[in-house]
Amino acid sequence: MRRIVGIVLAVVLMGGVVAAVLAGREADDKGTATKTVRMVIGSEKAEYFADPAVVKALAAKGYTVKAETSGSWAMEGLDLKGYDLAFPSSQAPAVELAARYRVHGALPRPFYSPLVVVAHRSAAQVLAANGLATLDTGHRGTLTMAALLDAARHDRTWQQLKGASGYGELSGTLFIASTDPESSNSGALYLAAASYVANGGRVVSDKGGLDRTEPVLRKLVTVQGAQQTGSDAVFRDFVSGAGNPLVWVYESQVASLLAGGQKPGDLVVLYPDTTVDSDHTVVPLTDTGRALAELLSTDRELRRLAVRHGFRPQGDTSEFATDTTYLKQRLTGVRQAPVPTSAVLHEMARRARG
């Protein structure tokens, strides 16, 4: 009988220990519990939010992020019910989304990135020899946008440029590859910069401006044929050697590549003398989404990680420390073009696509 009682007591005690352990684990889980944040983001930010260091930093602040990618302009066609925030790559589509979902107040802009052109060294040297670019170093220079538009108007080919005959990859019509301006932010901002130059240094704001700039913008786009809807794929094609010799991308994509230890020997970064900044702008759809957006803007660790992924944090250019062999730490000598309203930009993209 005593043995039976002893066994029963042992089982009870063991059960108590197991219950205590489970309770402790439950308490620990509550202590480190995270809020799950659902978001739709531009593809160029996918690596940032997938970075284990970013995941850890967000978890330390109580957040788990589930991110889906979309072209920034294509977000307008999505049903965002059940999401906490949308994070397109510039302010114009963000403003449209904010109006659609009745989001009031200032829209957080944690970081930004200027648009640049990446070129293979052979292409950059030929452009420089023909007055379309100047080179500061073997890996960095400036693209002359007016000269580029003039080449587009006259359907200039690589074969017509002196020095191009020595490079078999430089053939056919001279153009910069970009993403689809009707669905992708980077493609739309290409038109914004080009239209500003084509319109005599004035932002396109009416039908007259659209009519004046349409012919050259159409040439910039239709020569490309089918276009990608996300900048990530276009940049990866270029890095792999499969893409066009000139590609319009975010500076952040180049900076992230360099920060990861890759330094392609024939990569040249050309800063257009007239370009646009891509202000990565958050549209908070819930209080949780707004809290996360503010954290991205203010948390020192998250800002540091944003720099590691090539983004320039708002408010302090000194945080953007890069290998200046390829990139400019300060954007001196680069003119920032105003971006047309979303309605004008949509119409511009529609006309350019033909």
Side-chain angles (χ1 to χ4, degrees), residues 134-347:
T134 57
L135 298 180
D136 305 325
T137 72
H139 295 284
R140 192 189 70 216
T142 301
L143 179 72
T144 306
M145 286 293 285
L148 173 74
L149 297 186
D150 185 67
R153 290 188 184 97
H154 294 91
D155 301 311
R156 191 170 299 176
T157 64
W158 283 105
Q159 291 91 328
Q160 292 173 323
L161 302 181
K162 63 182 180 182
S165 59
Y167 304 102
E169 70 275 17
L170 301 181
S171 62
T173 305
L174 168 66
F175 69 90
I176 296 173
S178 65
T179 53
D180 181 354
E182 289 192 291
S183 61
S184 172
N185 178 66
S186 61
L189 293 185
Y190 180 36
L191 298 187
S195 65
Y196 184 79
V197 176
N199 199 39
R202 301 186 304 276
V203 65
V204 174
S205 59
D206 55 20
K207 183 177 181 300
L210 286 166
D211 292 342
R212 281 191 297 275
T213 58
E214 178 181 344
V216 69
L217 297 186
R218 181 172 292 190
K219 289 199 172 188
L220 293 178
V221 172
T222 56
V223 69
Q224 299 184 48
Q227 293 174 288
Q228 300 270 17
T229 58
S231 59
D232 188 54
V234 176
F235 184 61
R236 289 183 184 277
D237 284 348
F238 173 85
V239 173
S240 71
N244 195 61
L246 301 173
V247 183
W248 181 266
V249 301
Y250 297 103
E251 179 197 54
S252 59
Q253 292 172 293
V254 184
S256 179
L257 181 79
L258 299 175
Q262 297 186 58
K263 297 186 178 181
D266 73 337
L267 171 66
V268 179
V269 182
L270 299 174
Y271 285 81
D273 57 7
T274 300
T275 190
V276 288
D277 281 346
S278 178
D279 286 316
H280 295 268
T281 305
V282 179
V283 182
L285 302 172
T286 65
D287 290 341
T288 299
R290 183 170 288 280
L292 179 63
E294 294 298 334
L295 189 66
L296 293 172
S297 299
T298 59
D299 184 78
R300 291 184 64 181
E301 177 64 5
L302 289 170
R303 286 172 69 91
R304 184 188 69 80
L305 291 168
V307 170
R308 193 169 81 178
H309 282 271
F311 300 109
R312 294 174 179 257
Q314 295 283 1
D316 188 354
T317 57
S318 66
E319 291 183 63
F320 188 71
T322 66
D323 181 348
T324 54
T325 302
Y326 293 85
L327 302 176
K328 292 187 175 188
Q329 186 173 37
R330 299 185 182 277
L331 298 173
T332 53
V334 177
R335 186 178 189 183
Q336 297 296 320
V339 178
T341 65
S342 58
V344 170
L345 208 50
H346 274 301
E347 177 63 12

Side-chain angles (χ1 to χ4, degrees), residues 7 58 165:
I7 292 170
L58 288 171
S165 59

